[in-house]
Amino acid sequence: MIDKAAIQRIKETVAPRKAPILSLYVDPNPAKPENAGRAYALRAKDALKALRVPEAIAEKALEILRHQVLEAKTAVFFAGDGLFEVVLLQVELPLLSSVKTAFLDERSERYLVDGVLAHYGEPFLLPLVYALDEYERYGVVYLDREKWRVFEVFLGEIEEVHDAFLALDTEAWRRLSLDAPGRRFNLGGIARGGAGQDLFAKRLEAWEERFYKALAHELQRLFEVRGFTRLVLMGPEEHTKLFLGYLPKRLWEEVVALLPSLPHPGATPGEVLKRLEPELERIEREKEMELLRSLEEAYPKAAFGPEVLERLQEGRVEVWVLPWRMDQVVYACDGLYFPGEAEARAYCENPEAKPLAVVLPELAAGYAAKLEFVRGEAQRRLLERGGMAALLRW
């Protein structure tokens, strides 16, 4: 899993390098028909040839693409004199799925076709930085029958935090599991009653409160140290709901799902991830729909359709929302971009048609607009509203 140290190392070793540097993003996912026979390697070769990348640099990446099995959904290469970095991601990147027909932009030194984005010049980190900055880092608290466990899920990968809750009494958790709510007053089939029951209940509740408060405190520490942005609780419903009530407001607001336990204790991280994946996918799509609804409700402080491009170049766009697969073409004229050829011809005779996906990075960075991409139902609704939306600064 890519941790904070790895992210910082990439930024420190690649970003300061002087041009020319090859930045190559490839989708090698073997599950896609268009990647059969490692066709992505041929597309990458065509891209590097079109950009006139020196053979000695190009071959470093092509050798891996041709001969190695890449267990990844995105492979990122940075290559240059004395530099060769490879980053494998278990997530897709939006710009890689945006242009079906090969497009070479000599001005930006960039080549883009479905599944391949190549840039030869200044280090081009924006797609990678987008993934590192925008994908949520989930903390998953799993209430195993034997102990509490914590997993980190980020960029499609999972890692167990082995030192989580080490300071807590694991035997206490085992006893709490046996004395779960709904069973605590009928232990061993013998009903307790009278003063004995009242004393037992008070002691158990006081002990339970201390235990859950200690867990909540440890989780808050992990949340900050690991940089979690969302939380998922997995385990018996009576325990997850009870623990939820002990979380401080800040953590409580970040809990996005309560999920049942897996069928057997001691589940591997891979088994936990397999259970989580459909839920995380659902959560992400729901958040995207919430984003669109919030923009619709924010009107007139929001814009939809071709108007967004104009507002962007006025410096008014704070958040720019786009479909995951974008096939929009824009027209460049004297440093400005227009949604249609007719509008562009009012400024120059021969506007240049370019895929939005090619010019998107510079536009977003140049006007300090935060990018958001949507899929599924949110993408369908966005396309109905003109293919893009924006939250305006003023």
Side-chain angles (χ1 to χ4, degrees):
M1 176 180 290
I2 297 180
D3 57 18
K4 291 181 179 179
I7 293 171
Q8 189 62 30
R9 184 183 62 79
I10 291 169
K11 290 181 178 179
E12 290 177 354
T13 57
V14 177
R17 296 298 294 261
K18 293 182 179 179
I21 296 294
L22 169 63
S23 306
L24 177 64
Y25 296 79
V26 179
D27 175 358
N29 190 346
K32 295 185 175 181
E34 60 267 30
N35 286 336
R38 301 193 184 188
Y40 52 81
L42 294 176
R43 293 197 293 271
K45 181 180 178 180
D46 290 343
L48 303 190
K49 184 177 179 181
L51 289 173
R52 299 184 178 88
V53 178
E55 185 176 352
I57 293 175
E59 276 302 313
K60 291 181 180 180
L62 293 176
E63 184 71 14
I64 292 176
L65 292 173
R66 291 191 194 107
H67 302 296
Q68 291 190 21
V69 177
L70 299 176
E71 299 289 341
K73 293 183 179 178
T74 303
V76 186
F77 302 87
F78 298 106
D81 185 19
L83 171 71
F84 190 66
E85 291 278 351
V86 183
V87 181
L88 300 180
L89 303 176
Q90 298 305 320
V91 294
E92 296 179 340
L93 298 182
L95 294 182
L96 297 190
S97 59
S98 296
V99 176
K100 289 293 184 184
T101 303
F103 183 86
L104 170 65
D105 189 336
E106 294 182 348
R107 185 176 303 176
S108 67
E109 302 171 302
R110 192 167 303 152
Y111 184 103
L112 181 64
V113 69
D114 194 32
V116 174
L117 170 59
H119 179 93
Y120 190 58
E122 296 292 332
F124 184 54
L125 278 78
L126 189 142
L128 178 60
V129 171
Y130 167 81
L132 297 176
D133 289 346
E134 296 304 319
Y135 274 84
E136 301 291 344
R137 191 179 293 272
Y138 285 85
V140 182
V141 182
Y142 181 39
L143 286 62
D144 199 306
R145 296 177 194 173
E146 298 298 326
K147 62 179 181 178
W148 284 49
R149 303 163 71 190
V150 175
F151 299 90
E152 180 177 337
V153 178
F154 182 54
L155 292 175
E157 297 184 86
I158 188 168
E159 178 181 285
E160 184 165 3
V161 184
H162 290 288
D163 59 352
F165 302 142
L166 279 181
L168 299 178
D169 184 358
T170 55
E171 177 62 20
W173 165 240
R174 192 183 69 82
R175 294 199 312 270
L176 181 60
S177 297
L178 292 175
D179 293 337
R183 297 178 56 195
R184 61 178 62 154
F185 302 133
N186 190 21
L187 302 181
I190 302 174
R192 298 178 181 266
Q197 174 176 312
D198 293 339
L199 180 61
F200 176 81
K202 288 178 181 179
R203 286 179 176 173
L204 182 58
E205 287 171 3
W207 175 84
E208 180 183 82
E209 182 176 357
R210 289 194 301 271
F211 182 77
Y212 277 120
K213 281 185 175 180
L215 285 168
H217 177 77
E218 283 299 302
L219 181 58
Q220 184 162 3
R221 180 187 64 81
L222 283 171
F223 189 91
E224 295 168 357
V225 170
R226 308 288 297 200
F228 296 149
T229 55
R230 291 179 182 167
L231 289 174
V232 174
L233 306 183
M234 292 183 70
E237 183 179 8
E238 62 268 22
H239 290 303
T240 55
K241 287 188 174 180
L242 194 59
F243 182 49
L244 187 63
Y246 284 99
L247 293 181
K249 185 174 184 291
R250 182 190 172 197
L251 294 190
W252 184 87
E253 291 176 342
E254 302 302 337
V255 176
V256 293
L258 301 180
L259 302 179
S261 296
L262 291 172
H264 58 86
T268 66
E271 290 170 330
V272 175
L273 181 60
K274 187 175 181 180
R275 173 67 181 84
L276 283 169
E277 282 178 330
E279 292 296 330
L280 299 188
E281 178 77 11
R282 177 188 61 78
I283 291 166
E284 293 300 327
R285 302 292 80 79
E286 287 180 355
K287 294 293 183 181
E288 291 168 0
M289 287 298 294
E290 287 177 13
L291 173 62
L292 281 192
R293 285 192 291 267
S294 69
L295 289 176
E296 291 168 350
E297 294 169 359
Y299 189 84
K301 201 179 175 182
F304 290 85
E307 178 191 353
V308 171
L309 202 56
E310 182 178 352
R311 299 292 169 262
L312 175 76
Q313 294 171 99
E314 294 172 349
R316 293 179 58 186
V317 171
E318 181 176 348
V319 180
W320 191 5
V321 184
L322 293 155
W324 189 267
R325 283 187 171 272
M326 65 185 96
D327 56 6
Q328 297 102 313
V329 173
V330 295
Y331 294 84
C333 185
D334 296 333
L336 296 175
Y337 292 91
F338 301 87
E341 186 175 6
E343 296 97 321
R345 285 190 180 279
Y347 288 82
C348 65
E349 290 186 4
N350 298 303
E352 183 180 1
K354 294 186 176 184
L356 177 59
V358 170
V359 301
L360 178 66
E362 281 70 31
L363 278 173
Y367 294 100
K370 181 186 178 190
L371 290 172
E372 293 282 357
F373 296 91
V374 297
R375 287 183 271 190
E377 178 63 15
Q379 176 174 267
R380 186 190 67 78
R381 286 183 57 172
L382 184 62
L383 291 173
E384 290 177 351
R385 297 294 302 269
M388 63 178 73
L391 177 65
L392 304 179
R393 293 190 173 96
W394 46 272

